Amino acid sequence: MQRSKLGQIGIYTAVIVTVVLLLFPIYWMTITALSPANQLRSFPPVFFPEEPQWGVFSELLATQPFALWLKNTILIAVATMILALSVSILAAYALSRYRLRGGATIGMFILTSKMLPATLLVIPFFAIFKQMGLVGSLWSVVITQSTLIVPFCTWMLKGYFDTIPEELEHAALVDGCSPFATIFRIVLPVAAPGLAATALYAFVISWSDFLFARTFLQTSESQWTLNMGIAALKGEYITDWNVIMAASLMASIPILLVFLVLERFLVGGLASGAEK
Amino acid sequence: MATVEFNHIKKSYGSVEAIRDFNLSVDDGDFCVFVGPSGCGKSTALKMLAGLEATTSGTIQIGGRDVTELGPGNRDIAMVFQNYALYPHMTVRKNIGFGLKMRGMPGNEINAKVEDAAKILELTNYLDRKPKALSGGQRQRVALGRAIVREPSAFLMDEPLSNLDAKLRVQTRAEIVNLQKRLGVTTIYVTHDQTEALTMASKIVVMRDGMIQQIGTSHELFTHPRNIFVAGFIGSPGMNFFRGPVELDAGQPVTRFGGHLVRLPAATAALAGTDAVFGIRPEHIQLTTSPINVGLRLVESLGTEKILHFQIPKGQSLTNTEADFGPDDQDRDVQSMLIRVIDDHIYQEGQSVSLLFPQDKIHVFDPATHAAIG
């Protein structure tokens, strides 16, 4: 009894510490955004500004093309998510269901490509995109991100597909579904939690890209993403940290919204009830 | 409703032959059960019939139509799977109606047919639930509903009762038989449980190592098993076996059991001078005044029914090759014979009893080919 109580205290302590560690940067980002410039580096630190500067958000929107950066980032993230998932779904399904000659090796090879550092790929991609006339186009980032995201998404989805009983597809085939329709009518709805997790992964990774956007889009300001715009807010001599933090805070909101939309799919257990 | 025919079907996975020259004709309206130990190829045969596995050679006909090259959706069959395979994201109504929807039936007709099927299977109150909100038995009925609503030429069932508890299994077994009789649809049913096979089937196909061992009714398989495997597999407990010489005593064939003469069926006279394997079912051994006396090694009492174990005389038990009853029966004790008695007598371990092997209940098998003689 005593032991289980101590265990509970331990678990709660661990949960509280984890939550504090995870939320502190967001909290600090928020109070930095709302603090007047003269309180930013004060000691002892101010944990909540006496007069929150809510105007920083409207000032940001008025002085910077934030909406344009947001639009570009959303376009890149959504396009990357769709492209990466389209490829990964078919690749993962094939790896999961078909006994391919050397299938395991192909699977490992796909994953190995994920091990390559992104910086290694920047220059070859740049050369290719230059020839294709894609430098300065959002597609350059979409394609690059997709190539990096597809391997991991394929493995994530393969793991989910492996857990779906093959009999479900057999039942659908006997019911008159074509093999392709079986994937869309049965496999994908059943794998919804896996798809949601994979989609979220693809969205977050492409949303947080800086390296590729900075390399391929630097010369065309109309194509800048949020991360590029935020980086540009840093001045050479003076940096308005409250403005940067306000921009960062606003840039985080879409990710939260996507998570809230996908959250109900992320909850597992949809496949329960298919079998005994 | 239709006949089902397998003609010289073979199935190989690389060098492994899963099904070897499988020939079977199932009549219209038959309830045909494939039974056999794990890995005997019964599920593979069913999947080939469903179109879920390609055949290596041979043809399959359903209702006189060659379906060998057709996909599962074009064979006019419905299948019930071992784990039910209900679509977890659909309600019971959608699960049952899915096959009709795929065939382009209008929504109102689908609904009417689903309601009818639900009424037959007592699922009306559960139509708007998802499978995870149902009990095992209810899920099983939804799987059956999905099959019957399509009114197919044949039902295929792959061990549909194996996930139910013992009580529900007996109940559902009877429900399936009644449903099949009522609908009259040709049914191919796969099981490893001989009780299911014996109680449900109008035709039983006993399989082993990808080959048909015997086709017949439960009575035929029980009374005239074609080989040692079928004799040992069918019946619970399975048939007892012992080896012995075939001799002639005043012109009548006999063998010896622990030195005592045992009269054999007249047809075995031609084997005089050779050794044979003899089989007798535990319920056919009589406890009566006889020169054969054995000591009981173990007494298993199930109330009025008792299973009495005694040791086979030295040198008369089967060899390992003769006693190869398949992977599901590895633990069978070939040194012992069993007697099944139903009486109120109390038996004690170590007690001596006198046995009689009725002449007409003794089965004789060739020790080399394992085939029944006579």
Side-chain angles (χ1 to χ4, degrees):
Chain A
M1 196 70 184
Q2 190 68 25
R3 207 172 154 182
S4 71
K5 206 168 183 182
L6 275 175
Q8 275 206 329
I9 291 169
I11 288 170
Y12 276 109
T13 312
V15 169
I16 290 166
V17 169
T18 309
V19 169
V20 167
L21 282 175
L22 288 175
L23 291 183
F24 187 78
I26 298 170
Y27 160 74
W28 199 250
M29 191 161 72
T30 311
I31 60 153
T32 306
L34 295 176
S35 295
N38 59 355
Q39 277 185 17
L40 287 176
R41 292 185 181 178
S42 59
F43 190 85
V46 178
F47 284 96
F48 195 81
E50 282 174 16
E51 288 177 23
Q53 307 292 305
W54 297 105
V56 70
F57 296 106
S58 51
E59 186 194 327
L60 174 71
L61 292 173
T63 56
Q64 304 294 339
F66 191 86
L68 178 72
W69 300 340
L70 182 66
K71 185 194 85 178
N72 289 338
T73 313
I74 289 175
L75 282 176
I76 287 175
V78 171
T80 305
M81 186 175 76
I82 293 172
L83 184 64
L85 246 64
S86 307
V87 177
S88 314
I89 284 169
L90 298 176
Y93 184 80
L95 283 173
S96 170
R97 288 295 189 257
Y98 298 113
R99 283 179 222 150
L100 307 168
R101 195 181 287 268
T105 317
I106 294 171
M108 287 312 294
F109 185 72
I110 289 173
L111 199 58
T112 311
S113 64
K114 171 75 185 158
M115 313 292 175
L116 298 174
T119 42
L120 195 76
L121 301 171
V122 169
I123 294 169
F125 267 125
F126 189 85
I128 293 167
F129 290 146
K130 192 147 201 280
Q131 280 196 347
M132 293 171 73
L134 284 177
V135 172
S137 157
L138 296 182
W139 281 110
S140 59
V141 183
V142 171
I143 294 168
T144 323
Q145 282 294 345
S146 297
T147 56
L148 289 175
I149 289 170
V150 161
F152 197 69
C153 287
T154 302
W155 271 88
M156 274 178 90
L157 287 173
K158 180 188 175 302
Y160 279 100
F161 291 159
D162 284 347
T163 63
I164 298 174
E166 228 171 335
E167 281 84 356
L168 275 185
E169 290 162 65
H170 288 166
L173 290 171
V174 170
D175 270 341
C177 257
S178 70
F180 209 65
T182 302
I183 298 179
F184 287 96
R185 286 182 178 273
I186 307 296
V187 178
L188 295 188
V190 175
L195 280 180
T198 314
L200 193 63
Y201 168 79
F203 191 88
V204 170
I205 293 288
S206 50
W207 187 270
S208 52
D209 167 68
F210 178 68
L211 177 71
F212 296 119
R214 177 77 172 71
T215 311
F216 302 138
L217 305 176
Q218 180 63 19
T219 49
S220 43
E221 271 186 50
S222 63
Q223 309 291 301
W224 279 16
T225 62
L226 276 172
N227 286 344
M228 291 176 76
I230 292 169
L233 293 175
K234 191 172 181 299
E236 196 173 348
Y237 302 108
I238 300 167
T239 298
D240 292 330
W241 284 106
N242 53 339
V243 177
I244 291 182
M245 287 302 123
S248 302
L249 205 57
M250 284 167 71
S252 312
I253 291 169
I255 290 279
L256 275 175
L257 289 178
V258 170
F259 180 80
L260 286 177
V261 170
L262 294 179
E263 190 252 346
R264 71 189 178 101
F265 297 107
L266 286 168
V267 179
L270 190 66
S272 68
E275 299 185 71
K276 58 164 181 163
Chain B
M1 284 170 278
T3 55
V4 171
E5 284 190 43
F6 290 84
N7 301 309
H8 302 289
I9 290 293
K10 284 185 189 169
K11 176 69 187 175
S12 307
Y13 298 101
S15 60
V16 180
E17 281 193 310
I19 300 284
R20 291 183 257 177
D21 199 26
F22 191 94
N23 289 290
L24 176 68
S25 180
V26 182
D27 294 334
D28 188 6
D30 257 0
F31 197 116
C32 178
V33 175
F34 294 176
V35 67
S38 312
C40 71
K42 54 191 187 296
S43 287
T44 307
L46 192 79
K47 281 183 182 169
M48 285 195 291
L49 176 59
L52 297 170
E53 286 270 3
T55 55
T56 304
S57 66
T59 60
I60 295 174
Q61 293 185 323
I62 298 174
R65 185 171 62 120
D66 187 343
V67 297
T68 320
E69 300 301 324
L70 295 182
N74 297 321
R75 295 190 177 203
D76 194 21
I77 46 122
M79 191 159 173
V80 179
F81 294 85
Q82 183 174 1
N83 56 18
Y84 318 140
L86 302 180
Y87 311 126
H89 56 299
M90 295 183 195
T91 59
V92 169
R93 186 186 297 280
K94 287 189 174 167
N95 259 285
I96 296 177
F98 186 72
L100 299 176
K101 190 178 170 189
M102 287 297 101
R103 279 162 175 78
M105 188 178 275
N108 53 348
E109 281 181 46
I110 294 176
N111 220 19
K113 280 183 176 287
V114 170
E115 301 266 353
D116 284 348
K119 206 178 280 175
I120 293 172
L121 296 161
E122 296 173 21
L123 286 169
T124 308
N125 293 333
Y126 308 103
L127 280 175
D128 296 314
R129 288 194 192 177
K130 293 236 174 113
K132 68 179 169 191
L134 302 178
S135 68
Q138 288 163 344
R139 286 178 198 174
Q140 219 282 340
R141 293 215 299 278
V142 176
L144 281 174
R146 202 165 58 178
I148 66 169
V149 77
R150 296 236 324 269
E151 298 174 20
S153 297
F155 289 145
L156 314 187
M157 302 194 186
D158 190 3
E159 309 212 26
L161 304 183
S162 57
N163 286 334
L164 300 179
D165 61 50
K167 196 176 164 192
L168 202 53
R169 198 179 305 161
V170 174
Q171 189 189 327
T172 315
R173 200 166 71 195
E175 281 174 10
I176 290 177
V177 171
N178 288 334
L179 193 65
Q180 196 269 343
K181 278 187 183 152
R182 185 168 153 189
L183 303 173
V185 178
T186 312
T187 303
I188 315 289
Y189 186 106
V190 161
T191 182
H192 67 273
D193 181 346
Q194 55 152 312
T195 313
E196 276 176 33
L198 294 171
T199 52
M200 299 175 91
S202 56
K203 179 182 264 183
I204 301 173
V205 179
V206 183
M207 292 181 65
R208 188 195 186 200
D209 295 339
M211 286 170 70
I212 293 177
Q213 301 293 309
Q214 189 168 357
I215 301 170
T217 63
S218 53
H219 182 73
E220 284 165 352
L221 296 179
F222 198 76
T223 53
H224 296 104
R226 194 184 278 171
N227 56 36
I228 292 179
F229 173 76
V230 176
F233 186 77
I234 299 293
S236 180
M239 189 181 277
N240 296 300
F241 298 100
F242 62 94
R243 294 174 65 95
V246 181
E247 298 168 3
L248 289 178
D249 178 49
Q252 293 296 311
V254 292
T255 186
R256 290 181 183 276
F257 188 81
H260 302 287
L261 288 184
V262 174
R263 300 222 162 270
L264 296 176
T268 45
L271 301 174
T274 63
D275 268 14
V277 171
F278 304 100
I280 184 158
R281 296 203 176 274
E283 47 274 26
H284 290 153
I285 299 177
Q286 294 176 4
L287 297 177
T288 182
T289 313
S290 147
I292 303 174
N293 280 294
V294 294
L296 299 181
R297 296 171 72 186
L298 180 67
V299 176
E300 293 175 294
S301 177
L302 308 161
T304 47
E305 180 185 337
K306 286 115 187 163
I307 308 291
L308 314 177
H309 297 237
F310 66 92
Q311 186 152 13
I312 297 173
K314 225 173 179 186
Q316 290 200 262
S317 49
L318 297 196
T319 62
N320 284 340
T321 51
E322 287 163 349
D324 183 13
F325 297 111
D328 294 350
D329 210 2
Q330 297 275 350
D331 299 332
R332 189 180 175 118
D333 178 9
V334 292
Q335 307 295 329
S336 283
M337 283 175 66
L338 312 180
I339 312 165
R340 182 165 171 243
V341 288
I342 298 176
D343 61 22
D344 293 330
H345 192 82
I346 295 172
Y347 298 90
Q348 305 284 347
E349 284 167 25
Q351 179 186 340
S352 177
V353 292
S354 303
L355 308 177
L356 180 71
F357 298 148
Q359 186 180 0
D360 59 333
K361 299 295 184 191
I362 295 177
H363 301 259
V364 186
F365 303 95
D366 184 318
T369 64
H370 299 190
I373 298 167

